[in-house]
Amino acid sequence: MPDTTPQAGAGLLGPAEIRGLAATLGVRPTKTLGQNFVHDAGTVHRIVRSAGVEPGESVLEIGPGLGSLTLALLEAGARVVAVEIDPLLARALPATIADRMPGAAERLSVINADALAITGLESLGLARPDDGAAPDPAAPTRLVANLPYNVAVPVLLSVLAALPSIRSATVMVQAEVADRLAAAPGSRTYGVPSAKTAWYAAARRTITIGRTVFWPVPGVDSALVELTRREPPATASSREEVFAVVDAAFAQRRKTLRQALATLVGSPGAAEAACRRAGIDPALRGERLDIAAFAALAEALAAPEAPAAAPTAPTSSTAPEEKR
């Protein structure tokens, strides 16, 4: 019996195929949806290799578009859950896979939805595990995506919050956004995206992707960011409370914590007192704090100020002797 397994790259999309598919479907890439389609087989292979995708594992892809990266993920043997906001592209993707890589079609599931609306596994048509139960074996453990430029950060943070089953992520974003996601405290690019991403995962920028591998060609280069899930800082504060402190600290990033956090607690003096309770210098700016420090600060801001100690009455053992 002849071997019908497709050769590596045989079913992938090149520039001619991308433009042909778009013309057939009547698709005109829009900035509103952040649509820039990858048309280079070498690039999607690099992404899949960088992600460490293994045969049989379940991968979540956000914004599959015309299917370039989807095909490479399926070629690697993964099961793919693809979330696509554009209904036309969502309907066309299964047909593209069936045409170019028919043996992999059954490993693809397409969800026509806004990734920002994902609230859990049920949003992907998967069973939500009961407390203590094993997760659905089809639950995605990796996120691999060419994220839409205009919503990359909110989509990434939303997915990490909604899907704890995601243990690692490899995402392609604008190079400038990649720098922000992976920035360390104290660096020029450290800010809200850096701090909030660090709540969920350790992030590092890896490969730079030139703009010429996209259609239409964007005005900036892209880069890969790799994220590895970790536990958030130990804190009594909720994620929402910690993120509110992050937002306030960077709302006017040149202000000190004493001034920047005044809106949360009513006055600069109260903000300074909270900083001191957390062991943080109130003269620092938010760009100096890591996510653990923000968590400690959120706890301190929520805690009532300790009342001033009342004077201790002298006891018989400490009272001075009466002069005679």
Side-chain angles (χ1 to χ4, degrees):
M1 184 177 236
D3 182 7
T4 58
T5 303
Q7 296 179 348
L12 302 186
L13 299 172
E17 290 82 8
I18 287 289
R19 286 175 172 78
L21 271 173
T24 299
L25 297 172
V27 170
R28 292 186 177 183
T30 69
K31 288 186 177 181
T32 304
L33 297 179
Q35 292 174 327
N36 296 91
F37 303 124
V38 181
H39 58 61
D40 179 64
T43 296
V44 293
H45 277 147
R46 290 173 74 195
I47 295 171
V48 172
R49 284 196 302 269
S50 181
V53 175
E54 298 178 356
E57 72 176 324
S58 184
V59 174
L60 174 66
E61 183 185 6
I62 302 295
L66 293 169
S68 296
L69 181 56
T70 313
L71 284 161
L73 291 167
L74 291 168
E75 183 186 72
R79 298 189 306 273
V80 178
V81 179
V83 178
E84 174 56 60
I85 192 172
D86 187 323
L88 177 61
L89 294 178
R91 289 193 300 270
L93 185 58
T96 299
I97 303 305
D99 177 55
R100 302 193 66 82
M101 204 172 286
E106 63 181 13
R107 289 188 276 114
L108 172 68
S109 172
V110 180
I111 310 294
N112 178 203
D114 183 346
L116 289 170
I118 295 174
T119 56
L121 290 175
E122 60 274 19
S123 300
L124 305 179
L126 301 172
R128 184 176 184 176
D130 297 326
D131 289 342
D136 189 319
T141 55
R142 292 185 193 270
L143 167 65
V144 183
N146 171 24
L147 292 179
Y149 276 178
N150 56 340
V151 291
V153 172
V155 164
L156 178 62
L157 295 176
S158 178
V159 168
L160 289 173
L163 299 174
S165 65
I166 299 290
R167 307 311 300 171
S168 69
T170 300
V171 295
M172 182 159 57
V173 295
Q174 287 185 45
E176 180 182 346
V177 174
D179 289 337
R180 291 176 182 172
L181 289 172
S187 64
R188 181 177 56 84
T189 50
Y190 183 73
V192 171
S194 328
K196 290 184 177 180
T197 299
W199 174 271
Y200 302 104
R204 67 187 185 97
R205 173 177 165 160
T206 58
I207 303 169
T208 298
I209 307 291
R211 62 194 74 181
T212 58
V213 302
F214 295 94
W215 176 75
V217 178
V220 294
D221 289 336
S222 298
L224 292 188
V225 178
E226 293 186 2
L227 303 102
T228 303
R229 174 85 74 169
R230 64 185 178 193
E231 291 300 313
T235 177
S237 295
S238 67
R239 181 183 70 240
E240 291 77 12
E241 290 169 333
V242 176
F243 282 12
V245 177
V246 172
D247 288 334
F250 286 103
Q252 299 180 68
R253 66 180 296 141
R254 302 311 300 166
K255 285 191 174 183
T256 65
L257 293 171
R258 183 180 191 277
Q259 297 296 328
L261 302 181
T263 56
L264 288 181
V265 287
S267 71
E272 178 174 344
C275 288
R276 296 199 184 282
R277 288 197 298 275
I280 295 169
D281 183 352
L284 291 176
R285 297 187 178 99
E287 63 198 28
R288 307 296 301 182
L289 305 189
D290 63 11
I291 191 60
F294 278 117
L297 194 48
E299 278 196 45
L301 287 166
E305 272 194 72
T312 304
T315 64
S316 57
S317 61
T318 60
E321 289 187 0
E322 186 177 330
K323 287 185 179 179
R324 297 180 185 271

